Amino acid sequence: MSVIPAIRVTGLTKQFGSTTAVDHVDLEIAAGEFFSMLGPSGSGKTTVLRLIAGFEQPTGGTVELFGQDVTGKAPFDRDVNTVFQDYALFPHMSVLDNVAYGLRVRGVPRTERRDRAMRALAAVRLDQFAGRKPSQLSGGQRQRVALARATVVEPKVLLLDEPLGALDLKLREQMQVELKQIQRDLGITFIFVTHDQEEALTMSDRIAVFHDGRIEQLGTPRDLYERPASRFVADFVGTSNLFDADLSESLIGRRGEHSIRPEKLTVSAEPPSGAQMRSASGSLVESIYVGSGIRQVIDLDAGPRVTVLERNDRSRIADQERGGRVHVSWHEDDVVALIPPGA
């Protein structure tokens, strides 16, 4: 017997006038999964989220929630809830009343809604702040209040539209870890929209990379990073050294387009030895200290400029001189063939 997915969209299409924002997307998201939709602005990811939520109606295709077709239903008739970048907390209400508001609208008795709101706040570790106003909380705490408010009504699916975008870098990194932990504790399906590839890689069970209204690649964070299926994914998810067909044949000895991640390359004064190793000579353009590593930019004699990322550890030799001659090497297994969609 097959397991019914939390969300299934089939042939999902959305047009705004002559513009196709979503172009025949097929997608299944499992119950209890932390699923991210990743892509640049205008790629269609947010429109898909709004179609699932019911804020937009599709031009074509269907949306199913646990096997039930909800395509024509209003947002309040779908068992989903949404957390936006703007948390929209009521400033005059306490944290507890903000969280309990959805239960109040649904007619839940006062004692029950208070108990449920306190449990929701405890789940995000904010029960001790129940009596405070939103203005008395930090940005990360307000984000967790919005999450508690969205989950207290026990939706089957929680939709998150770039909820960490307004936070500073340090707090955003902290909240990435906390969000994943909260999702595991609650066991609710999370669908997370972001344009930040590091954010998606950090939290997700699986990621759909969107481009021009379609899913360019779907897979685990490791799949997408280690084995990107196209030039777009290799370039958008992390940093890659990209080689067109001509350079691939002359440098790598393979036909077609290929990529190599910066951390898979090494720099040395002499060419490497080993049957599975290849190398190319060049000149060091720049050496950039980035704390945990050293980013080196090298112009290869064959033409392309490549980036190498080396760990900043005790085994590392002294920095090469800018303009110095170096050899860039890589293992054959670290070369990734980029297969264009439909190939």
Side-chain angles (χ1 to χ4, degrees):
M1 182 176 179
S2 62
V3 177
I4 298 174
I7 294 290
R8 178 190 284 125
V9 300
T10 306
L12 198 63
T13 302
K14 180 62 178 180
Q15 293 178 313
F16 296 98
S18 60
T19 301
T20 301
V22 179
D23 192 3
H24 294 88
V25 168
D26 296 322
L27 178 63
E28 289 189 1
I29 301 171
E33 187 173 21
F34 197 122
F35 188 92
S36 288
M37 295 192 288
L38 172 68
S41 297
S43 62
K45 61 188 187 301
T46 300
T47 304
V48 170
L49 190 83
R50 292 179 62 82
L51 290 167
I52 292 172
F55 300 140
E56 301 280 356
Q57 283 298 303
T59 307
T62 59
V63 178
E64 294 180 22
L65 176 64
F66 286 92
Q68 293 188 344
D69 189 338
V70 296
T71 309
K73 290 189 175 182
F76 52 81
D77 285 330
R78 305 184 186 200
D79 203 354
V80 303
N81 215 338
T82 308
V83 177
F84 299 99
Q85 183 174 333
D86 179 2
Y87 312 136
L89 301 177
F90 298 114
H92 62 287
M93 290 185 180
S94 68
V95 165
L96 180 64
D97 288 340
N98 264 282
V99 174
Y101 182 77
L103 299 174
R104 177 182 170 188
V105 170
R106 288 165 172 77
V108 175
R110 177 179 297 180
T111 301
E112 181 184 347
R113 69 175 182 253
R114 185 186 186 284
D115 290 344
R116 287 173 61 178
M118 285 300 295
R119 287 198 300 270
L121 283 171
V124 297
R125 297 175 296 282
L126 283 178
D127 44 318
Q128 70 271 33
F129 297 108
R132 293 192 183 183
K133 296 292 178 62
S135 61
Q136 297 173 301
L137 304 179
S138 68
Q141 289 169 336
R142 289 196 294 273
Q143 197 274 344
R144 281 187 278 162
V145 173
L147 189 64
R149 183 180 60 183
T151 57
V152 73
V153 295
E154 300 175 353
K156 291 182 178 178
V157 176
L158 188 64
L159 310 175
L160 301 104
D161 187 7
E162 305 208 41
L164 308 183
L167 305 180
D168 61 51
L169 177 61
K170 194 76 173 179
L171 186 54
R172 190 161 69 243
E173 290 174 346
Q174 177 186 334
M175 285 306 304
Q176 289 168 11
V177 177
E178 293 201 9
L179 256 184
K180 181 60 181 175
Q181 185 176 345
I182 290 167
Q183 188 266 338
R184 282 177 176 158
D185 292 343
L186 295 175
I188 296 173
T189 303
F190 276 27
I191 303 178
F192 189 92
V193 164
T194 181
H195 64 273
D196 186 322
Q197 52 89 16
E198 184 176 335
E199 202 164 79
L201 292 173
T202 299
M203 295 188 291
S204 311
D205 297 316
R206 287 190 305 150
I207 303 169
V209 180
F210 279 76
H211 180 47
D212 289 340
R214 292 178 175 268
I215 295 176
E216 187 90 356
Q217 187 174 353
L218 173 62
T220 65
R222 183 178 292 274
D223 289 338
L224 296 180
Y225 190 83
E226 298 288 348
R227 296 295 165 189
S230 70
R231 188 181 185 93
F232 175 81
V233 175
D235 197 34
F236 187 76
V237 181
T239 303
S240 281
N241 295 295
L242 303 171
F243 303 96
D244 62 22
D246 291 338
L247 285 170
S248 291
E249 194 152 5
S250 62
L251 270 174
I252 301 172
R254 302 185 190 182
R255 292 184 176 180
E257 293 189 342
H258 294 80
S259 73
I260 308 175
R261 294 291 186 186
E263 68 273 14
K264 304 295 186 182
L265 298 174
T266 58
V267 178
S268 59
E270 300 294 333
S273 59
Q276 297 298 312
M277 299 297 291
R278 293 182 69 95
S279 69
S281 58
S283 299
L284 181 65
V285 176
E286 192 64 75
S287 184
I288 305 166
Y289 179 79
V290 292
S292 60
I294 308 296
R295 182 180 297 121
Q296 300 186 83
V297 181
I298 296 158
D299 281 341
L300 298 181
D301 296 340
R305 173 170 288 188
V306 298
T307 299
V308 181
L309 182 62
E310 291 190 320
R311 289 180 59 189
N312 185 15
D313 58 22
R314 292 178 182 175
S315 65
R316 190 174 183 279
I317 60 174
D319 291 342
Q320 299 277 352
E321 293 287 337
R322 292 181 181 85
R325 299 293 294 168
V326 296
H327 289 269
V328 177
S329 57
W330 60 90
H331 195 282
E332 293 276 19
D333 291 344
D334 292 328
V335 178
V336 178
L338 302 178
I339 304 170

